[in-house]
């Protein structure tokens, strides 16, 4: 983790405000245009927005989205939350797994300690199809004759660029160690090695922000893509990792890419490996219930955290030793483990089940509304990820003895994840096509 001591009381929102105040008139105007603020005064007012009474207001968020709220931007001075402690005391970065317009709704979350954002096709499908905030830009794109998929990417790129600007102070304060915003290549490319490479290069070029992560799925076809994209000096969020074997392949692709880059300074090429958690329990619990023995039923809700703990053990092993030390001499940074799919699917389980047991240094936890709300409200901060590795190994092995095939679980969840994102992507394109048709009819 980049110099936590430098950030004893980080206030990225204030830093961004300070940059604006000290910037030139043209740069201020450009940024106001970028993120849609009519005046610098309004900008500073919004920067002061906070989650000081987050616990009081949290129940309201359960009815919608923490970020996509209908607030007026007025709030009280920022106060510390457990998210600040999570980073400063234990070295884990809390990120937010959601993005929609207006991106300025991220400001209270940044004030509360959120240090990055992840997005995916499902998130954008929900954001764009359920909001009118994209209508003006989409209408203009249609009038310019843009095809639907091109229009989709322009909508997405604008959101990513705007969010990157908000997190840039964190990126700067940590020397590129944090403050990232992730955008995923088309899910239609999950089995296309070369197509994924080209898409990643294109996205990196059009977003043109130092703190953007290009998300690439950890499918067998895309493991070589990851190596090639890293070798091209592009930072990557590797997503849809469901098994230890595939995770090791992802680490190797990162290391291979760094070595193949030919760069003397590797400090600006970073990566996270998004290891999915709750979906593992969702599938394995069904398998255990089918087995039906007391031993099997007793293991429900334990598989995902156990495998995650073993993933962290693998992370520690792979990012040590002569090979890694040679890369460190060139400024290489560890590919941090990112815990994804952290919301609880089974209401019988504790609502912080996929956050609280996975706290450890040099990791990221990206949380959707439900998980973030729960952890801010009643989460506790302590190092837990490697507190009982022997128990994690015991659970992992016990599941194998019961006939749970971890390879099958990983492959099945990967297929489901890719198909789910494809479905969201296609559904959104259909929705945009309908909107375009309506706009054309109105203009006739």
């Amino acid at each position: 983790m980049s110099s936590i001591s430098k950030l004893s009381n980080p206030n990225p929102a204030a830093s961004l405000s300070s940059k604006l105040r000290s910037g030139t008139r043209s740069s201020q105007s450009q940024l106001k245009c970028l993120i849609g603020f009519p005046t610098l005064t309004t900008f500073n007012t919004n920067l002061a927005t906070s989650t000081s009474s987050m616990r009081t207001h949290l129940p309201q968020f359960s009815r919608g989205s923490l970020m996509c709220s209908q607030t007026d931007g007025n709030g009280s001075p920022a106060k510390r939350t457990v998210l600040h402690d999570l980073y400063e005391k234990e070295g884990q970065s809390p990120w937010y797994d959601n993005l929609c317009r207006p991106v300025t709704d991220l400001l209270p979350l940044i004030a509360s300690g959120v240090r990055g954002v992840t997005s995916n096709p499902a998130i954008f499908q929900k954001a764009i199809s359920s909001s009118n905030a994209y209508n003006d830009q989409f209408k203009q794109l249609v009038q310019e004759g843009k095809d639907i998929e091109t229009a989709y990417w322009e909508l997405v790129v604008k959101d990513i660029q705007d969010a990157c600007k908000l997190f840039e102070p964190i990126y700067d304060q940590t020397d590129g160690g944090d403050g990232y915003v992730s955008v995923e290549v088309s899910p239609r490319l999950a089995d296309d090695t070369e197509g994924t490479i080209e898409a990643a290069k294109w996205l990196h070029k059009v977003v043109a922000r130092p703190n953007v992560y290009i998300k690439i799925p950890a499918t067998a076809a895309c493991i070589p893509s990851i190596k090639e994209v890293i070798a091209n000096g592009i930072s990557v969020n590797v997503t849809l990792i469901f098994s230890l074997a595939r995770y090791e392949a992802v680490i190797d692709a990162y290391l291979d890419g760094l070595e193949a880059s030919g760069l003397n300074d590797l400090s600006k090429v970073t990566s996270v490996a998004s290891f999915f958690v709750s979906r593992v329990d969702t599938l394995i619990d069904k398998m255990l219930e089918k087995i039906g023995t007391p031993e099997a039923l007793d293991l429900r809700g334990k598989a995902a955290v156990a495998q995650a703990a073993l993933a962290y053990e693998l992370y520690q092993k792979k990012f040590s030793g002569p090979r890694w030390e040679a890369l460190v001499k060139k400024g290489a940074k560890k590919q941090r483990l990112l815990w994804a799919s952290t919301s609880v699917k089974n209401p019988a389980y504790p609502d912080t089940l996929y956050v609280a047991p996975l706290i450890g240094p040099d990791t990221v936890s990206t949380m959707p509304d439900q998980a973030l709300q729960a952890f801010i409200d009643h989460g506790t901060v302590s190092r837990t990820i490697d507190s009982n590795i022997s128990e994690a190994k015991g659970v992992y092995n016990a599941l194998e003895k019961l006939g749970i095939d971890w390879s099958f679980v990983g492959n099945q969840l990967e297929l489901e994840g890719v198909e789910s994102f494809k479905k969201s992507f296609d559904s959104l394109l259909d929705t945009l096509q309908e909107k375009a048709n309506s706009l054309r009819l109105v203009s006739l």
Side-chain angles (χ1 to χ4, degrees):
M1 176 69 61
S2 298
S3 188
I4 296 175
S5 61
K6 292 184 193 174
L7 301 170
S8 58
N9 188 21
N11 190 346
S15 298
L16 183 53
S17 176
S18 175
K19 283 187 176 184
L20 281 173
R21 286 195 299 270
S22 61
T24 63
R25 182 179 300 273
S26 61
S27 66
Q28 292 176 10
S29 174
Q30 182 180 15
L31 183 54
K32 285 184 285 185
C33 176
L34 173 69
I35 50 183
F37 289 115
T39 64
L40 188 58
T41 302
T42 305
F43 180 76
N44 288 329
T45 300
N46 278 324
L47 282 174
T49 305
S50 76
T51 51
S52 63
S53 53
M54 180 69 83
R55 293 174 186 268
T56 303
H57 295 299
L58 277 171
Q60 299 175 20
F61 294 133
S62 65
R63 297 194 294 269
S65 163
L66 280 170
M67 191 184 75
C68 305
S69 58
Q70 300 300 315
T71 60
D72 61 7
N74 295 317
S76 51
K79 289 184 180 179
R80 291 179 60 85
T81 74
V82 292
L83 300 184
H84 294 108
D85 293 337
L86 190 64
Y87 176 72
E88 293 170 26
K89 294 181 179 180
E90 299 300 338
Q92 182 174 81
S93 295
W95 288 7
Y96 183 47
D97 191 30
N98 198 8
L99 183 60
C100 67
R101 296 183 186 180
V103 297
T104 51
D105 278 347
L106 286 167
L107 290 169
L109 296 180
I110 294 173
S112 74
V114 168
R115 305 180 61 80
V117 159
T118 49
S119 69
N120 59 48
I123 284 172
F124 278 115
Q125 191 271 336
K126 181 180 178 182
I128 296 173
S129 63
S130 63
S131 170
N132 292 325
Y134 297 84
N135 287 358
D136 289 345
Q137 185 188 2
F138 181 65
K139 181 178 180 180
Q140 181 180 347
L141 293 168
V142 171
Q143 290 172 343
E144 292 171 357
K146 301 289 178 68
D147 65 78
I148 295 303
E149 189 163 350
T150 298
Y152 163 81
W153 284 112
E154 292 208 21
L155 297 175
V156 167
V157 165
K158 175 169 171 50
D159 279 7
I160 296 298
Q161 289 176 326
D162 291 358
C164 280
K165 179 56 66 175
L166 295 183
F167 282 96
E168 195 173 304
I170 295 175
Y171 176 84
D172 291 340
Q173 287 172 350
T174 58
D175 192 26
D178 216 349
Y180 287 89
V181 179
S182 298
V183 59
E184 191 160 345
V185 298
S186 169
R188 293 174 174 173
L189 300 172
D191 296 317
D192 184 343
T193 303
E194 291 301 320
T196 294
I197 293 169
E198 293 309 310
K201 290 179 179 178
W202 176 80
L203 264 178
H204 176 74
K205 182 178 180 180
V206 296
V207 174
R209 296 291 185 272
N211 56 328
V212 65
Y213 268 143
I214 308 302
K215 288 181 81 172
I216 298 176
T219 57
C222 287
I223 294 297
S225 310
I226 296 162
K227 173 189 172 181
E228 184 65 22
V229 173
I230 291 292
N232 275 270
I234 297 171
S235 296
V236 174
N237 176 342
V238 184
T239 189
L240 295 177
I241 305 172
F242 296 98
S243 69
L244 296 176
R246 186 54 56 83
Y247 173 47
E248 185 165 16
V250 166
I251 297 175
D252 288 338
Y254 177 61
L255 298 176
D256 291 344
L258 290 177
E259 290 168 341
S261 70
L263 296 171
N264 291 321
D265 179 9
L266 296 172
S267 63
K268 297 303 181 184
V269 187
T270 69
S271 181
V272 291
S274 294
F275 203 97
F276 280 56
V277 192
S278 68
R279 296 188 195 184
V280 173
D281 274 346
T282 299
L283 178 56
I284 289 183
D285 282 1
K286 292 177 182 177
M287 299 167 75
L288 292 172
E289 287 168 3
K290 189 173 182 180
I291 295 170
T293 63
E295 182 185 8
L297 296 177
D298 187 55
L299 288 170
R300 288 178 297 179
K302 298 179 181 179
V305 170
Q307 184 179 228
L310 297 183
Y312 189 74
E313 183 182 48
L314 179 60
Y315 159 83
Q316 291 176 308
K317 176 184 176 182
K318 298 287 286 189
F319 288 100
S320 63
R323 183 186 186 189
W324 175 243
E325 290 305 321
L327 290 168
V328 170
K329 289 178 181 178
K330 294 185 176 183
K333 293 174 180 174
K334 295 177 181 177
Q335 181 188 55
R336 290 188 295 171
L337 257 172
L338 181 152
W339 308 122
S341 183
T342 54
S343 62
V344 173
K345 307 297 192 292
N346 186 336
Y349 294 161
D351 54 8
T352 60
L353 176 62
Y354 303 116
V355 180
L358 302 179
I359 297 173
D362 299 322
T363 59
V364 178
S365 181
T366 189
M367 294 171 268
D369 296 318
Q370 175 195 20
L372 187 63
Q373 167 187 332
F375 194 75
I376 289 175
D377 184 55
H378 50 267
T380 55
V381 173
S382 65
R383 179 166 175 164
T384 52
I385 183 61
D386 51 2
S387 61
N388 201 334
I389 291 295
S390 60
E391 182 180 336
K393 290 179 179 177
V395 170
Y396 192 90
N397 293 333
L399 288 163
E400 281 189 323
K401 289 178 182 178
L402 286 172
I404 302 299
D405 183 342
W406 283 98
S407 177
F408 166 81
V409 169
N411 290 335
Q412 179 63 27
L413 289 173
E414 179 185 296
L415 285 172
E416 291 177 5
V418 169
E419 286 305 311
S420 175
F421 285 162
K422 283 182 181 177
K423 184 177 179 181
S424 295
F425 187 76
D426 292 343
S427 174
L428 178 54
L429 294 186
D430 289 343
T431 299
L432 290 176
Q433 185 64 64
E434 291 173 5
K435 283 190 176 183
N437 293 342
S438 298
L439 287 171
R440 292 189 183 107
L441 286 173
V442 169
S443 63
L444 291 177

